Amino acid sequence: MMKKGAMQKSKQWNVKGALRLAGVFHFLHSCGSGCLLPFLTLYFRHLGLSATMIGIIMASKHLLAVVWRPLSSVLARQYDKRRAVIVGSLLSSALVVLTLLLFPSTGIQAESGWCNASQPDADPTAILERTTVPSQSNATVYSINQISVSTEHPVEVTTLVSSNWSARGLRSMKKPEQEEDPHSEFLGSLKVMDAQHQMFFLVLIVMGLWELMAAPLEWTADDGLYEYLDFIDATDRYNGVKVWKPLGAAFGNCMVGVLVTSLFCLTGTTLEFYSYTVFMILTIPTAALLPIYLRKRERPTSGGFKALQLVHGNSQAILCATTVVLMGMVSSAVSDFLLWHMQDCGATEIHMGISLALAHLCQTGFAPIASHLSRFLKYHGWLLVLAVVSLALQCLYYSFLWGPWAVIPAQLLAGFSTGALWWSITSQSEDIATPGTEKTILRLFEVLSLELGAAFGSLAAGFVVQKFGVQVLFQGMAVTLALWSSTLAVLKWKIPRQRRINYSRLLAADTEMSESESDQENDWLETAMEDTRGNNKWTVDQS
């Protein structure tokens, strides 16, 4: 009977099975996010929104996540509704995002010539008509208008675009007579706004709803899995699940890039949204089976305030937090407008998807060499300087792109920029953490970078691109990061390093030490003899 009970207990806590299921969950969810999130700003450009409007929309999304993500995670934990929150978030976000497909374009855009040529009913004879695009760059676009002639001969149909816009990004033509008729405008009854501002507010509302639905998912799932592993003393295997996130994002980037480019004439950009919805629905069965530790109701802990106090009380941690905010601002600006710049250079979705996937794979490949590189630099803080320098070089390179595949060399530096950044942040969190606060401190740095810094970065980048262009944005960010890297190196050298004693790490190190019994006896005898000498000396001095 005891043997049977032990077998049932071992089956109940199947750690390997739980980790596999969690890996599948994160892979599928990251695939869906990779299919859509990097391409959102391109779709907003297709809708006719300006760079400033897009920056405001993305900044609002990040600011909403700053408040709602931690709050929803605490509420789901307190009321034991984690699984319901995860499944509800997957389903609702998958449906809400499709609302964006209902909005028609308000911009002046041109159909791609090779799509026209592939249509059997299209007239193969065309003339070029000059059209001015009302954008921040005042770009001139040559579009194709079809005309009918008495004798038709097959000719090659092409579209000529200036260096500031690409033909793939311009996909519908708005006729002048439509602008004169107020009833033909989108939401024409709202005469106090033009069509572009109507679109801006509608997209802003939908993105806010979408973020409310999607934000609670990741933290809630991570907390449930971590506490499950903590309950069975297997938290050391928690980090092994994280590798599936960049792998899933890389697969989603590459897959949607190939599919959208291949099926563009049939589906346009809608395939990115439907791919996201499909992956979110496929993730629901794994979410329903995801291992989650259920606990009784309890008061919310003040772990966030404790983490703030620990960071505030350490000079190196404050320096790290400042760097994290700056890196988050630059990374967000790159994420929002790099694909714009690639599109201007003639890149299609397949170029974008492969380049984004390569960056994720380089981040994953940095992990095996991170520990060796940290030992070589003798202090993980220098990895932070390396991350800033690498991102500065990336931004400088982005400003001089000349073709669709020219971005590839810069993407190879993603391992040293993003990978080194988070390795250094993790090590910094371990240095200042007290028992039980390591994960909370790491979460604090994530919020500072991925949400707060990203919000400021998106907002500022939108105004800079609107006023000066994408190239000036990347060059300005490169100069800023270069100056900060020099300042950071000097401050790292001047500020003394404060480090708390992590007793769990000391115990783990003690268990890994292999000493012979004779060595242990010698150490014990030497210690006892030193104590005896010290006591005798103290007695003589007192006498």
Side-chain angles (χ1 to χ4, degrees), residues 38 48 119 137 159 353 413 420:
Q119 298 295 332
S137 56
T159 302
L413 287 173

Side-chain angles (χ1 to χ4, degrees), residues 303-341:
F305 295 103
K306 180 64 175 178
L308 283 172
Q309 291 176 354
L310 292 173
V311 172
H312 183 267
N314 188 286
S315 301
Q316 291 285 351
I318 293 176
L319 194 60
C320 182
T322 306
T323 306
V324 161
V325 173
L326 180 60
M327 293 284 283
M329 293 177 62
V330 175
S331 298
S332 177
V334 171
S335 177
D336 291 344
F337 294 104
L338 175 60
L339 299 190
W340 277 43
H341 195 32

Side-chain angles (χ1 to χ4, degrees), residues 435-457:
T437 62
E438 296 90 345
K439 193 167 181 289
T440 306
I441 293 175
L442 186 59
R443 282 274 177 85
L444 175 62
F445 284 121
E446 289 179 359
V447 169
L448 291 176
S449 176
L450 302 180
E451 306 302 347
L452 188 62
F456 294 142

Side-chain angles (χ1 to χ4, degrees), residues 313-317 319 379 428 490-499:
N314 188 286
S315 301
Q316 291 285 351
L319 194 60
Y379 172 40
Q428 180 67 64
V490 173
L491 293 176
K492 281 285 182 184
W493 180 58
K494 291 288 186 181
I495 297 177
R497 183 185 179 191
Q498 302 174 8
R499 186 174 182 180

Side-chain angles (χ1 to χ4, degrees), residues 97-151:
V97 75
L98 296 178
T99 309
L100 292 173
L101 296 178
L102 301 177
F103 302 154
S105 172
T106 62
I108 298 179
Q109 299 170 340
E111 191 70 23
S112 178
W114 61 270
C115 281
N116 289 338
S118 64
Q119 298 295 332
D121 298 333
D123 192 339
T125 306
I127 62 172
L128 294 177
E129 178 182 345
R130 180 171 177 173
T131 306
T132 301
V133 178
S135 67
Q136 68 277 9
S137 56
N138 294 325
T140 300
V141 178
Y142 293 90
S143 61
I144 295 179
N145 292 335
Q146 303 292 336
I147 61 171
S148 58
V149 293
S150 57
T151 305

Side-chain angles (χ1 to χ4, degrees), residues 23-336:
V24 173
F25 170 83
H26 287 296
F27 181 82
L28 292 175
H29 178 256
S30 297
C31 281
S33 300
C35 288
L36 179 60
L37 293 181
F39 303 95
L40 268 178
T41 55
L42 282 182
Y43 185 75
F44 295 155
R45 188 188 204 186
H46 163 64
L47 293 179
L49 300 180
S50 66
T52 302
M53 293 177 176
I54 293 174
I56 294 173
I57 291 172
M58 300 306 291
S60 302
K61 175 180 178 294
H62 293 301
L63 288 176
L64 183 61
V66 170
V67 179
W68 179 235
R69 181 170 285 128
L71 180 60
S72 60
S73 177
V74 170
L75 293 176
R77 180 178 186 267
Q78 184 180 0
Y79 293 101
D80 277 341
K81 298 297 183 183
R82 281 175 171 166
R83 197 178 305 278
V85 168
I86 295 170
V87 174
S89 177
L90 288 169
L91 183 59
S92 58
S93 62
L95 298 178
V96 169
V97 75
L98 296 178
T99 309
L100 292 173
L101 296 178
L102 301 177
F103 302 154
S105 172
T106 62
I108 298 179
Q109 299 170 340
E111 191 70 23
S112 178
W114 61 270
C115 281
N116 289 338
S118 64
Q119 298 295 332
D121 298 333
D123 192 339
T125 306
I127 62 172
L128 294 177
E129 178 182 345
R130 180 171 177 173
T131 306
T132 301
V133 178
S135 67
Q136 68 277 9
S137 56
N138 294 325
T140 300
V141 178
Y142 293 90
S143 61
I144 295 179
N145 292 335
Q146 303 292 336
I147 61 171
S148 58
V149 293
S150 57
T151 305
E152 296 179 1
H153 299 282
V155 295
E156 182 179 0
V157 182
T158 59
T159 302
L160 302 179
V161 186
S162 71
S163 60
N164 291 326
W165 287 82
S166 72
R168 290 296 308 280
L170 310 174
R171 287 166 180 156
S172 66
M173 178 63 68
K174 187 175 180 181
K175 297 180 181 179
E177 57 268 19
Q178 289 181 342
E179 297 179 353
E180 298 176 359
D181 185 6
H183 300 287
S184 63
E185 292 182 0
F186 185 61
L187 295 180
S189 59
L190 302 177
K191 296 183 180 180
V192 294
M193 294 184 187
D194 56 17
Q196 188 183 39
H197 284 84
Q198 293 170 5
M199 181 65 65
F200 165 68
F201 284 107
L202 285 174
V203 172
L204 185 63
I205 293 171
V206 173
M207 288 297 294
L209 292 175
W210 183 34
E211 188 63 28
L212 283 174
M213 300 297 105
L217 188 145
E218 190 169 356
W219 278 26
T220 304
D222 283 344
D223 289 342
L225 177 63
Y226 184 84
E227 292 183 7
Y228 173 88
L229 296 175
D230 184 45
F231 183 74
I232 57 178
D233 296 328
T235 53
D236 56 326
R237 307 181 68 176
Y238 170 76
N239 290 329
V241 178
K242 293 183 178 180
V243 71
W244 292 104
K245 295 182 181 180
L247 291 179
F251 180 82
N253 295 153
C254 193
M255 185 203 72
V256 80
V258 173
L259 289 180
V260 170
T261 303
S262 303
L263 304 175
F264 174 74
C265 295
L266 299 176
T267 63
T269 57
T270 60
L271 192 59
E272 298 160 356
F273 291 84
Y274 290 125
S275 299
Y276 173 85
T277 300
V278 168
F279 274 111
M280 293 300 105
I281 294 176
L282 289 177
T283 312
I284 292 177
T286 59
L289 301 174
L290 194 67
I292 294 177
Y293 176 67
L294 300 178
R295 60 172 63 243
K296 297 180 180 180
R297 291 189 182 184
E298 57 185 20
R299 292 183 178 180
T301 59
S302 58
F305 295 103
K306 180 64 175 178
L308 283 172
Q309 291 176 354
L310 292 173
V311 172
H312 183 267
N314 188 286
S315 301
Q316 291 285 351
I318 293 176
L319 194 60
C320 182
T322 306
T323 306
V324 161
V325 173
L326 180 60
M327 293 284 283
M329 293 177 62
V330 175
S331 298
S332 177
V334 171
S335 177
D336 291 344

Side-chain angles (χ1 to χ4, degrees), residues 6-23:
M7 291 178 61
Q8 291 178 351
K9 186 176 181 180
S10 63
K11 290 181 180 179
Q12 183 180 2
W13 305 111
N14 186 358
V15 179
K16 291 184 179 179
L19 293 175
R20 291 194 199 100
L21 190 60

